[in-house]
Amino acid sequence: MRLLSTKASLRTVLGGALAAGALAALALPALGVVHLRADPLGGGFREAGPCDVPAFGPGMPAFDGTMARLVAGALLSAQETALGITPDQMEAWRAYTGALIAFIPTGERVGRWTDRKTREEAAAFDLVDDITSSAIERAEKAKTLQAAADALKAKLTPGQLDMVKQMQSRLVERVVRFVEWRRGEGWGTPL
């Protein structure tokens, strides 16, 4: 007997995953978890205290690779449950999720350029070398992700593929609304 429709189940699972990710993002600094944060003008990385949480707005960091990986992991775990990944699909699923999380940039290469001393010690064309090396690494990771996605598509049932399509559509809608909001183009509908 089905207690909830597929659409309602999907909303419940994804909503719970988003709420868990948001709760983790807000709770870790409040609980006193110490983290490192780049200080682009002051000279490298510094330890941040429990109350040293950036405000939303122009001063907010553009990207936090660790948080992005945490949120992606939570969403992928919820998606695994919602899709009903079976044991015979697990190897392809794990290859896909691992490749997807590996594809998310870490921001580590920026550290060299935010530290005044290492920035001053950089040789000619070091920036170009870092940028091109990063692009080549990302291209390799993209190829791995694409192959993993193709292998997973071959393992999923038509019903699971349809559910992935629905999830993808909702995710894209939310990302577009978030981008519009960040640009100041209006809220549209609530996230």
Side-chain angles (χ1 to χ4, degrees):
M1 179 169 93
R2 293 187 84 152
L3 297 175
L4 295 171
S5 70
T6 303
K7 200 174 207 178
S9 298
L10 179 61
R11 282 187 193 147
T12 303
V13 170
L14 290 178
L18 288 171
L23 181 61
L26 296 173
L28 291 178
L31 294 172
V33 175
V34 176
H35 59 282
L36 296 178
R37 185 173 51 207
D39 183 6
L41 301 176
F45 291 89
R46 63 182 177 80
E47 191 171 306
C51 296
D52 195 11
V53 179
F56 289 100
M60 187 176 164
F63 180 78
D64 180 354
T66 303
M67 187 54 65
R69 288 168 185 253
L70 175 67
V71 170
L75 292 174
L76 288 167
S77 179
Q79 189 177 27
E80 177 184 332
T81 302
L83 290 173
I85 298 295
T86 61
D88 63 312
Q89 297 170 326
M90 192 57 70
E91 185 177 337
W93 176 256
R94 291 287 179 224
Y96 167 73
T97 58
L100 182 60
I101 289 175
F103 187 70
I104 298 171
T106 62
E108 290 174 15
R109 289 185 182 271
V110 177
R112 174 181 181 187
W113 299 101
T114 59
D115 180 61
R116 184 178 303 274
K117 183 179 178 189
T118 58
R119 188 170 59 236
E120 289 171 356
E121 294 171 354
F125 294 102
D126 277 0
L127 179 60
V128 170
D129 290 343
D130 279 358
I131 292 170
T132 56
S133 295
S134 177
I136 291 167
E137 286 174 17
R138 286 198 41 84
E140 291 300 319
K141 289 178 181 180
K143 287 179 185 177
T144 301
L145 176 56
Q146 185 177 36
D150 290 342
L152 179 60
K153 281 190 275 187
K155 286 278 192 180
L156 296 178
T157 66
Q160 288 172 317
L161 288 170
D162 186 52
M163 189 174 278
V164 169
K165 183 178 176 181
Q166 291 174 31
M167 290 175 181
Q168 175 181 279
S169 175
R170 304 245 333 149
L171 176 64
V172 169
E173 287 175 25
R174 289 171 188 245
V175 168
V176 167
R177 285 194 305 242
F178 178 74
V179 169
E180 289 172 350
W181 171 73
R182 289 287 294 185
R183 288 182 181 165
E185 296 174 7
W187 284 91
T189 56
L191 294 174

